[in-house]
Amino acid sequence: MPREMGVPNTAQCLAAGGFAGMAVDTALFPLDTIKTRLQAKAGFLASGGFRGVYAGLSSAVIGSAPGAAMFFLTYEQVKAGCERRVPHKYQPFVHMLAASAGEIAACLIRVPTEVIKQRLQTNHHSSLAAAIRGTYATEGLLGFYRGYLTQVVREIPFTCIQFPIYEYLKLSYAQRQNRPIKSWEAAVCGSVAGGTAAALTTPLDVVKTRVMLSTKGMGAHLEYSGIVSTLSRIAREEGMRALFSGIVPRTIWISVGGFVFLGSYEMVKTTLLGAGIFAH
């Protein structure tokens, strides 16, 4: 059976995760913008169409590295701690738990930048500074965490599908080849796992987008606020098809993103572990 490399320490997780997050968010940002505009209540063209597909990139860049670093730091530590105590046949549940913990931690960093990013993507504001001022003026500090629970509820099913598939594909391929998996091979596994999870969880992503784009006017209520109520309202008013808005760009984006994100992470992690960089 191929030998796994050691568990990365805190500094190695932060470096590898930060690099992976920056790589995927900057490379695939236009697809994310198109997906967001397809899911917006106003519709694709009214939200900007194909114009200004890099709107909100600055917010994404600010949150991508620390958010990804926090995810992998939590994921690796929880996985390592549980794998020693749980029988091998239950390892998929370990990966689900570790990925869920990672997402809960990462969303503390990711949600504020996601709120600002999506409001810029759909032309709610003209600049990063205006989006920050406008969100704070109308909703206060809690406005930056608009949709936190919705995003967590979306991310947990996503990661509970993605990471068990990812870890299974990596292990199966490594056993078949009787050697540790290479970074590009891990990237292919990440692409398959990410695309599968993306397609299945698109309705939750649509709900997350609607909730994050909801703003509170003077004395007005939020247009979308709860997960279940938003889900049922979209289905009732716009049909079930609306819950799968943006499924094609989302699946392509996350399939390619999974290749870049997890491939980059494995490459940097392997390099740091092999060279002993940040080992102490």
Side-chain angles (χ1 to χ4, degrees):
M1 184 173 176
R3 182 175 62 87
E4 290 283 339
M5 297 193 72
V7 178
N9 62 27
T10 299
Q12 290 165 337
C13 284
L14 292 174
F19 178 86
M22 286 283 287
V24 73
D25 282 348
T26 53
L28 302 175
F29 192 80
L31 277 174
D32 180 47
T33 299
I34 291 169
K35 182 269 301 180
T36 299
R37 290 174 178 177
L38 284 167
Q39 294 176 346
K41 171 72 170 177
F44 179 68
L45 294 177
S47 298
F50 290 104
R51 301 186 309 275
V53 292
Y54 282 95
L57 178 61
S58 55
S59 180
V61 168
I62 290 169
S64 61
M70 179 62 73
F71 172 83
F72 279 114
L73 173 63
T74 307
Y75 177 76
E76 293 284 6
Q77 298 303 315
V78 173
K79 186 177 79 165
C82 293
E83 279 182 335
R84 294 190 294 266
R85 299 174 175 86
V86 177
H88 180 73
K89 64 180 179 179
Y90 297 120
Q91 291 305 305
F93 295 104
V94 170
H95 301 146
M96 290 180 186
L97 175 64
S100 298
E103 287 297 348
I104 291 170
C107 282
L108 292 171
I109 298 171
R110 192 182 297 151
V111 167
T113 58
E114 183 78 2
V115 169
I116 298 302
K117 180 200 74 173
Q118 292 200 323
R119 292 180 180 184
L120 288 170
Q121 286 176 322
T122 51
N123 296 323
H124 278 51
H125 301 282
S126 59
S127 68
L128 177 63
I132 293 172
R133 286 196 303 269
T135 300
Y136 181 75
T138 57
E139 301 173 75
L141 288 176
L142 289 179
F144 294 100
Y145 281 91
R146 170 75 54 214
Y148 174 82
L149 180 60
T150 310
Q151 176 136 338
V152 169
V153 168
R154 183 202 69 171
E155 295 294 1
I156 287 178
F158 178 88
T159 53
C160 284
I161 296 169
Q162 181 189 30
F163 275 85
I165 294 175
Y166 175 59
E167 297 286 1
Y168 171 78
L169 291 175
K170 283 200 305 175
L171 180 61
S172 296
Y173 189 80
Q175 289 175 336
R176 191 176 301 119
Q177 300 298 315
N178 197 31
R179 61 166 172 76
I181 195 167
K182 297 178 181 178
S183 297
W184 72 267
E185 294 166 337
V188 173
C189 295
S191 179
V192 173
T196 302
L200 293 174
T201 58
T202 296
L204 290 173
D205 188 54
V206 173
V207 170
K208 187 268 302 182
T209 297
R210 295 291 181 91
V211 171
M212 283 189 169
L213 292 178
S214 294
T215 55
K216 190 180 294 184
M218 295 299 293
H221 296 291
L222 288 167
E223 187 175 11
Y224 299 101
S225 57
I227 299 167
V228 176
S229 62
T230 300
L231 196 66
S232 61
R233 180 179 171 185
I234 294 171
R236 183 177 65 254
E237 295 180 357
E238 303 172 52
M240 292 297 294
R241 186 174 181 177
L243 291 172
F244 288 89
S245 300
I247 187 172
V248 173
R250 172 172 162 80
T251 302
I252 295 171
W253 166 49
I254 295 181
S255 293
V256 178
F259 184 94
V260 176
F261 185 60
L262 293 169
S264 298
Y265 177 73
E266 294 289 347
M267 179 188 70
V268 176
K269 182 181 77 170
T270 300
T271 301
L272 295 176
L273 285 169
I277 300 173
F278 301 140
H280 302 289

